[in-house]
Amino acid sequence: MVAYGSYDRCMRFIKGHGTENDFVLLPDLDGSLDLTPEMVAALCDRRAGIGADGVLRVVPSKISGDPVAEALAGEAEWFMDYRNADGNIAEMCGNGVRVFARYLVDAGLAAPGEWPLATRAGLRRVALGSSGDVSVDMGPPEVRGSGSAVVAGRSYDGLRISMGNPHLACLIEEPVRGLDLTRPPSFDPAVFPDGVNVELFRQVADRHVEMRVYERGSGETRSCGTGAVATAAAAAIAAAAAPETGALPAGDWLVDVPGGRVTVTFDGTTSHLRGPAILVAQGETRAGWPA
């Protein structure tokens, strides 16, 4: 394994985003890249690095070094190794999966169509063409009861929902554009031992909500795919369209985020997230960076 502690050779990268939730993708086709938290944080730095909400290492599942991915290697050729901007490992990223899949097709590493990807939250099946939006089977939202968080000195109540990673989706009455998400929310670590992504959302029309999110390890982001699904689930429950337990009723929900719009679909069994996945640029870091 090559550990980038000395950063003594160049790394190839691709920059992409899904509704402006942006990522640095690092192709690691031979499984030789051993990312350190410091390197991830340096890459994601918006002033001294490339700038991103997170890093996606593109690696074959069978040589990924991750036990979950290697156990899934017989079902999914590729593993999305996702790290938050602070360098910490994360389980899942809905926008990241779409950008990851778009890169595989663009690079000729996978064909357009439907196929599974390995993530730390398990298999996620994607569907995409040679261009256009990407759809991901996100699995059924798991509602774990009520919870609360304090944002900018104000307490918000919401639903604790797992999408493979933890969320607190809070329904509010005021427009989301006036919220102060410059500081990390505070919460009870006994309730959220792994931290939590906090979504504040407002219903603007039938099956249509607007949302902002503070992501653990990244701060406020322009979009969050797993958060959009968690928000749509919480909105369905708040609208009395579904109980807190059992399958959510079939139908589409539009979720507006600062970076655009995604569509969440419940089919009575699982959830699907559909939205854009844009590849912006590619290049190489300079050998010796960061010094």
Side-chain angles (χ1 to χ4, degrees):
M1 301 289 282
V2 178
Y4 283 91
S6 58
Y7 317 119
D8 56 355
R9 67 180 176 91
C10 301
M11 282 191 299
R12 181 167 170 257
F13 71 86
I14 297 90
K15 180 71 183 286
H17 75 91
T19 49
E20 299 182 6
N21 189 193
D22 59 339
F23 309 95
V24 172
L25 292 85
L26 301 177
D28 184 24
L29 307 191
D30 61 0
S32 65
L33 177 58
D34 184 15
L35 281 176
T36 65
E38 294 79 13
M39 187 57 178
V40 171
L43 287 165
C44 292
D45 190 303
R46 296 194 180 277
R47 292 176 176 82
I50 297 168
D53 294 323
V55 166
L56 306 173
R57 182 171 71 111
V58 182
V59 62
S61 299
K62 64 183 179 182
I63 58 170
S64 64
D66 183 271
V68 173
E70 291 180 359
L72 296 172
E75 301 175 78
E77 181 179 0
W78 296 99
F79 171 54
M80 184 185 77
D81 179 4
Y82 178 57
R83 318 292 178 98
N84 284 322
D86 64 358
N88 286 322
I89 289 172
E91 304 91 344
M92 176 57 187
C93 179
N95 290 324
V97 167
R98 298 201 318 277
V99 175
F100 189 96
R102 173 56 63 211
Y103 167 71
L104 290 177
V105 169
D106 188 76
L109 299 172
E114 296 186 28
W115 27 266
L117 290 171
T119 77
R120 291 187 178 88
L123 291 175
R124 293 294 184 266
R125 192 167 187 84
V126 299
L128 69 162
S130 56
S131 62
D133 287 356
V134 179
S135 179
V136 185
D137 183 343
M138 299 289 286
E142 181 181 340
V143 182
R144 296 184 172 179
S146 59
S148 64
V150 176
V151 179
R154 177 177 171 183
S155 182
Y156 293 92
D157 297 323
L159 287 180
R160 295 183 291 120
I161 298 177
S162 174
M163 292 303 305
N165 57 353
H167 293 268
L168 178 69
C170 305
L171 175 63
I172 63 174
E173 295 183 357
E174 66 269 30
V176 300
R177 64 179 178 273
L179 298 170
D180 179 5
L181 294 180
T182 58
R183 291 170 287 169
S186 58
F187 51 84
D188 185 348
V191 178
F192 301 107
D194 299 317
V196 66
N197 302 293
V198 177
E199 289 84 32
L200 301 174
F201 72 93
R202 181 178 74 108
Q203 186 152 346
V204 296
D206 184 43
R207 294 181 179 265
H208 185 182
V209 298
E210 61 175 8
M211 176 195 94
R212 284 175 63 191
V213 57
Y214 193 102
E215 290 197 59
R216 57 175 185 164
S218 296
E220 183 182 7
T221 56
R222 300 279 292 172
S223 179
C224 176
T226 53
V229 179
T231 289
I237 293 168
E244 289 190 18
T245 58
L248 297 168
D252 291 345
W253 285 80
L254 300 179
V255 182
D256 292 340
V257 294
R261 175 179 289 176
V262 295
T263 302
V264 176
T265 301
F266 301 118
D267 64 8
T269 301
T270 187
S271 64
H272 298 267
L273 174 70
R274 185 176 74 251
I278 310 298
L279 303 179
V280 176
Q282 61 185 3
E284 289 185 342
T285 62
R286 290 178 62 91
W289 177 88

